[in-house]
Amino acid sequence: MVVNADDFGFTPDVNRGIVVAHRQGILTATTLMANGEAFDDAVALARETPSLDIGCHLVLIQGRSLLPPYAPLPASATELLRALATRRIRVYDELAAQVRKILAAGLHPTHLDTHKHTHLAPPVLDAVARIAEEFEIRWVRRPFDIPLTALRGGVPWLKRATSGSLRLLRGRFHRVLARHGCRTTDHFAGFQITGRFRTAELVQLIRELPEGVTEFMCHPGYCGAELRQAHTRLKESREHELEALMAAGTRAALEDTAVELVSYRDLS
């Protein structure tokens, strides 16, 4: 299992939580936001923590563009879809600029994912796959949740329905990635329970993992002043996730099930 944290570079609170989850917990990887307010802080922490596998968290929703005139990016998925339909956003150029900024900081990303899973949109997926091939960052997130059993009761109906509907996109998604020589894990987990899990739910998930390699997406962090002021629904929940990632019960579940923790660097 690859335990991968989104939002590295979002705020110093989030950065610190991610590094602690790696040093003291089961976190193996994270993806960095090149346009995050705390990008420089994240880069410094990444250099101090070479065992933490770094990827790119490509952003087309929220924050500012890295391209002149450095305008705000669409604020929501709906706004992004409008911008894509009217070609008001240079998707490839924007995402390539984000990867170049991370490379210029001296980091060597091994995997790609997108903020709010925007690479499910065909124009974004095409750009991400092209970038993966050109920059030789072959691992790309497949954001299709594994079927949940014990955990489903705590997931709202709309979230479950959204997760289920995403499976309709799988065919084209994997064809595009294959055409560009990209790789994905066998399975993915975390979409339905983002912001909703604690140690008990994480232990249940570990015990339900199918055979093969699973990426588990998480959002640990500390809910300090910076995060409280940030535009995100994930605030106190980040501390709950951090606790679960460091819990003794979580470690015990991994040992009981013989689930091996790996990073994308290990898989490469």
Side-chain angles (χ1 to χ4, degrees), residues 75-263:
S76 66
T78 301
E79 289 188 23
L80 175 61
L81 291 175
R82 290 196 193 104
L84 292 173
T86 56
R87 299 186 179 180
R88 287 186 289 108
I89 186 167
R90 295 156 53 195
V91 176
Y92 170 82
D93 293 338
E94 175 63 42
L95 300 185
Q98 294 179 21
V99 173
R100 290 191 183 100
K101 182 176 178 180
I102 292 170
L103 291 170
L107 301 179
H108 304 284
T110 62
H111 55 291
L112 303 173
D113 55 44
T114 56
H115 192 50
K116 308 293 186 183
H117 306 308
T118 55
H119 65 304
L120 288 168
V124 181
L125 177 63
D126 293 341
V128 169
R130 177 182 167 191
I131 285 167
E133 182 176 17
E134 291 182 3
F135 289 91
E136 297 185 347
I137 307 171
R138 298 293 185 174
W139 287 97
V140 177
R141 173 179 288 168
R142 59 182 313 277
F144 307 109
D145 252 354
I146 59 174
L148 300 175
T149 54
L151 298 174
R152 287 183 68 86
V155 179
W157 176 87
L158 182 59
K159 194 78 171 179
R160 296 200 307 268
T162 301
S163 177
S165 66
L166 295 180
R167 296 173 192 167
L168 300 174
L169 304 173
R170 279 185 180 177
R172 183 184 187 277
F173 184 91
H174 287 291
R175 285 195 299 273
V176 171
L177 293 187
R179 190 161 62 242
H180 289 273
C182 301
R183 302 178 67 186
T184 69
T185 57
D186 301 308
H187 313 286
F188 173 79
F191 174 76
Q192 295 182 61
I193 61 173
T194 292
R196 296 183 174 86
F197 77 86
R198 299 196 183 191
T199 303
E201 289 78 18
L202 180 53
V203 167
Q204 288 178 355
L205 176 64
I206 290 169
R207 295 189 183 281
E208 293 183 8
L209 288 178
E211 290 293 325
V213 180
T214 297
E215 178 194 348
F216 175 58
M217 174 187 71
C218 56
H219 299 79
Y222 289 103
C223 191
E226 299 99 334
L227 183 59
R228 289 190 183 279
Q229 295 172 7
H231 181 68
T232 176
R233 73 174 177 88
L234 302 177
K235 297 184 187 295
E236 290 85 358
S237 67
R238 294 183 190 262
E239 293 198 351
H240 299 321
E241 293 197 15
L242 176 57
E243 291 170 4
L245 293 168
M246 296 191 298
T250 302
R251 286 279 189 189
L254 291 171
E255 293 176 6
D256 290 346
T257 56
V259 170
E260 180 184 2
L261 293 176
V262 296
S263 69

